[in-house]
Amino acid sequence: MDIASLIPSFGNAAFTVVAFVVALSVIVTVHEYGHYIVGRWTGIRAEVFSLGFGPVLVSRVDRRGTRWQIAALPLGGYVRFLGDSDGASGKDAAAIAGMEADERRHTMHGAPLWARVLTVAAGPVFNFVLSIAVFAMLAVVSGVAIEPPTVGKLQPLPAAQSALREGDTILAIDGRATPDYTAFYDAVAALPVDGETAYLVRRDGVEQEVAGPYPFPPVVSAIQPKSAAMEVGLKEGDVITAIDGQPIRAFRQLQDVVTASEGAPIALTVWRDGETLSFSLTPKRMDMPDPEGGFETRWLIGMTGGLAFEPATRMAGPLEAVSYGADQLGFIVTSSLSGLYHMIAGKISSCNLSGPLGIAESSGAAASQGLESFVWFIAMLSTAVGLLNLFPIPVLDGGHLVFYAYEAVVGRPPSDKALRLLMAAGFALLIGLMVFALTNDIFCP
């Protein structure tokens, strides 16, 4: 065996592992800090704040008596409060029985119901806040497109130079007014893909008509992780010039061919930095959310198209950015719940559920595409972790909240025996789900 040939694969695997650990560590730290800080505010004393499980690598005790530690297995974390028997807030009945009333008040199990509810709910809430903050920050960094549509940087294309210029305000396309991007996209939808496109622009205060490329040329603006496009080595900025030898001018022509392929391999001719390359790739069958809240099965190669120019942008205001972040959070939550429902109902493939290997692979793929892509992935994963923890499964935060709801209605908590049985059942269910998801990672295409 040629050991040298394994070095690139080992490097890719190491990069994927590091990206996964970094992403998960950020999310777990924020989640557990939510439990810790709200618990502290409500009078519940934390004994241990651990990032990771297993043997402790580094630790220190702060002035409040909380031990902060990093453990060897970076696959999660926990906060163990006074009176807990473990990191899942199991009850140490013997220890609590020996406490005075004042000390018992500082345990999770002896605190008022409102304090326990706030402390448990804080973990998922902090995950959601992290997601909104990251999405909002990215909106500020990326900016908001100026309207009417205004040309920023032009995309490099293999054809003759476009007559469009940076700073042009696009007033109409082929005679259809474009006062905003909604009208712009409507005008593009009505355009024929053959021939040049006529743009009415305002340049230096003067209106003039110029010829330019199709507004959405077959330019790759992004590559999705674990996609056919990523597997064959397509890159952002590539221009697809032909499919199976037939020249194309618009990204929608590529979409039409991929949709009609039904999974058959397609050959792409690609222009990259003045060089012509050839690729063969096989579309993958995917279940995608539709605007009505359902799912549709489509053949995809995992690339996103873009405009022939980068839109000129302005800085987003604080409220505008936060609103954008909240919209992204809402979309991810509703899409995830819809996907789960459709999987349970058998309407879409259960292969849509990824396990740790799939998430790790996606982490590495996102990190390989740059910092912005990786940060976006962290925000998405943070939303997923927060949502998962709200599921009403014992051992998860949602399960504890169900116990507290029972206590609020009945006037007393479930018995210690019932709690132990429910926690054991919840743990078994969670392990079963993890094994199922891991099986998907290994055997699903």
Side-chain angles (χ1 to χ4, degrees):
M1 178 181 292
D2 183 5
I3 299 298
S5 66
L6 297 179
I7 293 177
S9 297
F10 174 78
N12 290 338
F15 181 81
T16 295
V17 169
V18 170
F20 177 58
V21 169
V22 169
L24 190 61
S25 296
V26 170
I27 292 165
V28 168
T29 299
V30 169
H31 180 95
E32 299 302 335
Y33 187 77
H35 290 316
Y36 163 79
I37 194 64
V38 174
R40 198 180 89 185
W41 290 339
T42 58
I44 302 173
R45 187 177 304 152
E47 292 190 314
V48 178
F49 185 113
S50 181
L51 180 59
F53 301 101
V56 177
L57 302 178
V58 180
S59 70
R60 75 173 184 87
V61 178
D62 67 15
R63 59 186 179 85
R64 293 184 176 84
T66 301
R67 179 177 297 278
W68 298 76
Q69 63 185 38
I70 298 176
L73 300 175
L75 299 176
Y78 62 89
V79 176
R80 193 178 74 227
F81 293 102
L82 181 66
D84 289 352
S85 61
D86 52 46
S89 290
K91 184 178 181 180
D92 188 343
I96 292 175
M99 295 178 182
E100 299 291 336
D102 287 348
E103 187 179 15
R104 194 177 300 121
R105 165 61 181 83
H106 296 296
T107 69
M108 175 66 82
H109 304 277
L113 182 59
W114 65 266
R116 285 177 277 149
V117 169
L118 291 178
T119 300
V120 169
V125 169
F126 269 52
N127 280 134
F128 295 151
V129 170
L130 171 64
S131 298
I132 292 173
V134 170
F135 288 135
M137 177 195 70
L138 291 173
V140 171
V141 171
S142 300
V144 177
I146 295 172
E147 293 183 328
T150 303
V151 178
K153 181 181 177 182
L154 291 165
Q155 295 282 9
L157 297 172
Q161 288 294 314
S162 168
L164 289 173
R165 296 289 182 268
E166 185 173 340
D168 284 350
T169 299
I170 299 175
L171 305 176
I173 299 177
D174 273 11
R176 299 173 65 100
T178 56
D180 52 36
Y181 273 98
T182 299
F184 180 88
Y185 297 140
D186 289 342
V188 172
L191 280 178
V193 296
D194 297 325
E196 288 188 322
T197 301
Y199 293 83
L200 177 64
V201 303
R202 182 186 298 116
R203 180 183 299 169
D204 299 327
V206 178
E207 293 186 10
Q208 57 183 292
E209 189 169 286
V210 298
Y214 188 81
F216 282 92
V219 176
V220 180
S221 65
I223 300 289
Q224 274 68 55
K226 300 173 63 177
S227 66
M230 174 165 280
E231 289 171 359
V232 301
L234 285 168
K235 297 181 179 180
E236 181 180 339
D238 285 349
V239 181
I240 314 301
T241 58
I243 307 172
D244 292 331
Q246 298 298 314
I248 65 170
R249 182 170 177 261
F251 190 82
R252 73 187 192 195
Q253 292 173 286
L254 173 63
Q255 292 173 309
D256 292 341
V257 171
V258 172
T259 299
S261 71
E262 296 188 348
I266 59 175
L268 301 182
T269 304
V270 174
W271 182 86
R272 178 186 295 171
D273 298 327
E275 183 180 1
T276 299
L277 307 172
S278 297
F279 295 90
S280 178
L281 68 170
T282 302
K284 295 184 177 183
R285 190 171 182 171
M286 304 288 288
D287 296 309
M288 304 297 294
D290 61 32
E292 285 72 37
F295 279 77
E296 60 177 338
T297 300
R298 296 165 57 190
W299 293 99
L300 301 172
I301 58 175
M303 66 171 67
T304 304
L307 287 167
F309 57 88
E310 293 180 8
T313 60
R314 59 175 176 80
M315 182 175 291
L319 292 179
E320 194 174 21
V322 171
S323 176
Y324 172 79
D327 288 344
Q328 292 298 312
L329 174 75
F331 174 77
I332 295 169
V333 168
T334 54
S335 296
S336 299
L337 292 176
S338 176
L340 181 62
Y341 164 76
H342 282 81
M343 277 190 283
I344 293 173
K347 296 180 178 180
I348 62 174
S349 171
S350 60
C351 286
N352 287 283
L353 180 65
S354 294
L357 295 180
I359 296 171
E361 187 178 350
S362 296
S363 301
S368 70
Q369 295 184 59
L371 180 60
E372 182 175 340
S373 175
F374 185 54
V375 171
W376 184 279
F377 176 81
I378 289 176
M380 289 183 61
L381 188 58
S382 182
T383 301
V385 169
L387 179 62
L388 174 64
N389 271 277
L390 286 177
F391 285 1
I393 300 174
V395 313
L396 294 180
D397 296 330
H400 288 288
L401 292 174
V402 170
F403 297 152
Y404 298 153
Y406 173 88
E407 182 179 347
V409 172
V410 177
R412 56 181 172 77
S415 67
D416 289 348
K417 181 179 180 180
L419 283 175
R420 285 195 297 271
L421 289 173
L422 289 169
M423 294 289 275
F427 184 75
L429 176 60
L430 201 59
I431 292 297
L433 287 173
M434 291 180 64
V435 170
F436 177 75
L438 185 60
T439 301
N440 280 354
D441 291 342
I442 298 172
F443 296 108
C444 284

